[in-house]
Amino acid sequence: SGYSSAKAAIEILTKIWAEELKSFSIRVTCTAPGFFNTESTRRALNKNQLIHLKSVTPSNRLGRPNEIVSAIKFLIKNDFFNGKILNLDGGLNL
Protein backbone atom coordinates (compact mmCIF):
# COMPACT_ATOMS: atom_id res chain seq x y z
CA SER A 1 0.00 0.00 0.00
CA GLY A 2 2.91 2.35 0.66
CA TYR A 3 4.30 2.01 -2.87
CA SER A 4 0.90 2.38 -4.50
CA SER A 5 -0.08 5.44 -2.50
CA ALA A 6 3.28 7.12 -3.17
CA LYS A 7 2.94 6.41 -6.88
CA ALA A 8 -0.58 7.85 -6.93
CA ALA A 9 0.61 10.95 -5.07
CA ILE A 10 3.35 11.59 -7.65
CA GLU A 11 0.85 11.23 -10.48
CA ILE A 12 -1.56 13.71 -8.88
CA LEU A 13 1.25 16.16 -8.06
CA THR A 14 2.32 16.04 -11.72
CA LYS A 15 -1.15 17.16 -12.80
CA ILE A 16 -1.53 19.78 -10.08
CA TRP A 17 1.92 21.30 -10.58
CA ALA A 18 1.40 21.48 -14.35
CA GLU A 19 -1.71 23.57 -13.70
CA GLU A 20 -0.15 25.70 -10.96
CA LEU A 21 3.10 26.40 -12.83
CA LYS A 22 1.69 27.08 -16.29
CA SER A 23 1.79 30.85 -15.75
CA PHE A 24 5.58 30.53 -15.41
CA SER A 25 5.82 28.42 -18.61
CA ILE A 26 7.01 25.46 -16.55
CA ARG A 27 5.95 22.06 -17.77
CA VAL A 28 5.71 19.11 -15.39
CA THR A 29 5.84 15.52 -16.57
CA CYS A 30 6.45 12.17 -14.98
CA THR A 31 7.77 8.84 -16.15
CA ALA A 32 6.53 5.56 -14.75
CA PRO A 33 9.03 2.89 -15.79
CA GLY A 34 8.18 -0.75 -15.59
CA PHE A 35 10.74 -3.53 -15.46
CA PHE A 36 13.98 -2.89 -17.29
CA ASN A 37 16.89 -5.14 -18.08
CA THR A 38 19.27 -3.66 -15.55
CA GLU A 39 21.59 -5.05 -12.93
CA SER A 40 19.31 -3.87 -10.13
CA THR A 41 16.31 -5.67 -11.65
CA ARG A 42 18.32 -8.87 -12.06
CA ARG A 43 19.45 -8.62 -8.41
CA ALA A 44 15.93 -7.97 -7.12
CA LEU A 45 14.14 -10.73 -9.03
CA ASN A 46 14.96 -14.38 -9.51
CA LYS A 47 15.08 -16.06 -12.91
CA ASN A 48 11.53 -17.45 -12.65
CA GLN A 49 10.13 -14.03 -11.76
CA LEU A 50 11.88 -12.47 -14.75
CA ILE A 51 10.54 -15.17 -17.07
CA HIS A 52 7.03 -14.62 -15.71
CA LEU A 53 7.24 -10.84 -16.11
CA LYS A 54 8.33 -11.20 -19.71
CA SER A 55 5.48 -13.62 -20.42
CA VAL A 56 2.78 -11.30 -19.04
CA THR A 57 4.14 -8.16 -20.70
CA PRO A 58 2.58 -7.55 -24.13
CA SER A 59 5.98 -6.60 -25.57
CA ASN A 60 7.23 -10.00 -24.27
CA ARG A 61 10.46 -8.54 -22.87
CA LEU A 62 11.99 -6.22 -20.32
CA GLY A 63 12.71 -2.65 -21.30
CA ARG A 64 16.13 -1.57 -22.47
CA PRO A 65 17.91 1.24 -20.59
CA ASN A 66 18.30 3.24 -23.82
CA GLU A 67 14.50 3.29 -24.08
CA ILE A 68 14.31 5.27 -20.85
CA VAL A 69 16.85 7.72 -22.26
CA SER A 70 14.79 8.09 -25.46
CA ALA A 71 11.64 8.73 -23.45
CA ILE A 72 13.28 11.41 -21.31
CA LYS A 73 14.62 13.11 -24.44
CA PHE A 74 11.10 13.06 -25.87
CA LEU A 75 9.70 14.68 -22.73
CA ILE A 76 12.36 17.39 -22.78
CA LYS A 77 11.92 18.20 -26.48
CA ASN A 78 8.12 18.04 -26.71
CA ASP A 79 6.72 21.29 -25.30
CA PHE A 80 3.15 20.09 -25.73
CA PHE A 81 3.49 17.10 -23.39
CA ASN A 82 2.48 18.48 -20.00
CA GLY A 83 0.73 17.29 -16.84
CA LYS A 84 0.82 13.66 -17.90
CA ILE A 85 2.58 10.48 -16.95
CA LEU A 86 4.52 8.58 -19.58
CA ASN A 87 4.22 4.87 -18.81
CA LEU A 88 7.25 2.90 -19.98
CA ASP A 89 6.14 -0.59 -19.15
CA GLY A 90 5.83 -2.52 -22.39
CA GLY A 91 2.05 -2.61 -21.89
CA LEU A 92 2.26 -4.40 -18.53
CA ASN A 93 -0.60 -3.69 -16.16
CA LEU A 94 -0.06 -4.87 -12.60
Side-chain angles (χ1 to χ4, degrees):
S1 62
Y3 172 81
S4 296
S5 59
K7 183 177 178 181
I10 294 297
E11 291 181 5
I12 294 300
L13 279 173
T14 299
K15 295 169 193 262
I16 291 170
W17 286 344
E19 181 63 33
E20 289 178 349
L21 298 172
K22 69 182 178 185
S23 62
F24 301 102
S25 297
I26 296 174
R27 293 183 307 114
V28 181
T29 64
C30 177
T31 58
F35 293 93
F36 279 75
N37 189 11
T38 62
E39 185 179 329
S40 61
T41 299
R42 291 187 298 272
R43 275 195 316 258
L45 303 172
N46 66 45
K47 187 175 181 177
N48 288 335
Q49 290 171 315
L50 290 171
I51 291 169
H52 174 72
L53 279 171
K54 290 177 190 178
S55 73
V56 298
T57 301
S59 65
N60 204 37
R61 65 178 178 83
L62 300 177
R64 298 179 192 105
N66 69 313
E67 291 170 314
I68 294 174
V69 174
S70 298
I72 300 299
K73 286 180 179 179
F74 164 77
L75 293 176
I76 291 168
K77 291 179 182 180
N78 190 320
D79 286 339
F80 200 59
F81 195 93
N82 190 23
K84 299 290 182 187
I85 292 82
L86 182 60
N87 291 301
L88 302 170
D89 57 11
L92 177 65
N93 293 309
L94 294 177

